[in-house]
């Protein structure tokens, strides 16, 4: 079941690259986020003439999910042209806020999964909510 969903996530993430708003970088990123409840939220990168205001595909998907009451994530697929677009540090931090053990799948432009890793592997020693919530 989960393997089938991985394939689905890769395809959806690749398809989402078409929605990217990227007049400055021309670097399209698509994301597909699977919640533990089984729903999929999508995202793309959205740039801005004031460059730092831009947002990554991963955070678009995560914020869409959180805004609809979903905070437990099983996996996220991230699609780029070459399939080696690792999530930036800010996106890793946002992932670890919600799901300390989520899987991270990289996919290429066709949606083929190229790399399977996890947030604990990509952000060891993360600063996590328990540091503040346990006070
Ligand atoms: N980008 C993402 O969407 N995700 C990442 O994890 C890395 C970078 C976007 C942001 C910007 O629109 C473009 O890629 C170039 O940095």
């Amino acid at each position: 079941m989960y393997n089938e969903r991985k394939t689905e996530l890769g395809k959806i993430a690749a398809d989402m690259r078409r929605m990217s708003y990227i007049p400055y970088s021309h670097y399209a990123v698509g994301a597909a986020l699977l919640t533990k409840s089984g729903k999929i939220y999508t995202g793309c990168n959205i740039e801005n003439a004031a460059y730092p205001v831009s947002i990554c595909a991963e955070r678009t998907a995560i914020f869409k999910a959180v805004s609809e009451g979903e905070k437990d994530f099983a996996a996220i697929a991230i699609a780029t042209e070459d399939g080696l677009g690792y999530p930036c540090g800010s996106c890793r931090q946002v992932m670890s806020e919600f799901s300390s053990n989520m899987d991270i799948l990289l996919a290429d432009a066709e949606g083929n999964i190229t790399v399977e890793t996890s947030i604990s592997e990509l952000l060891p020693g993360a600063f996590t909510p328990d540091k503040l919530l346990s006070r």
Side-chain angles (χ1 to χ4, degrees), residues 88-111:
C88 80
S90 296
C91 290
R92 295 180 197 198
Q93 183 64 31
V94 169
M95 290 172 199
S96 77
E97 176 75 17
F98 298 108
S99 302
S100 56
N101 63 354
M102 69 189 287
D103 292 330
I104 298 177
L105 314 169
L106 304 189
D108 65 17
E110 279 74 51

Side-chain angles (χ1 to χ4, degrees), residues 21-22 25-30 44-47 54-59 78 80 85-89 91 95:
Y21 175 73
I22 48 170
S25 73
H26 307 287
Y27 183 77
V29 186
C44 61
N45 52 334
I46 305 169
E47 300 182 346
S54 305
I55 188 160
C56 295
E58 300 91 316
R59 274 177 290 155
I78 305 162
T80 54
Y86 282 84
C88 80
C91 290
M95 290 172 199

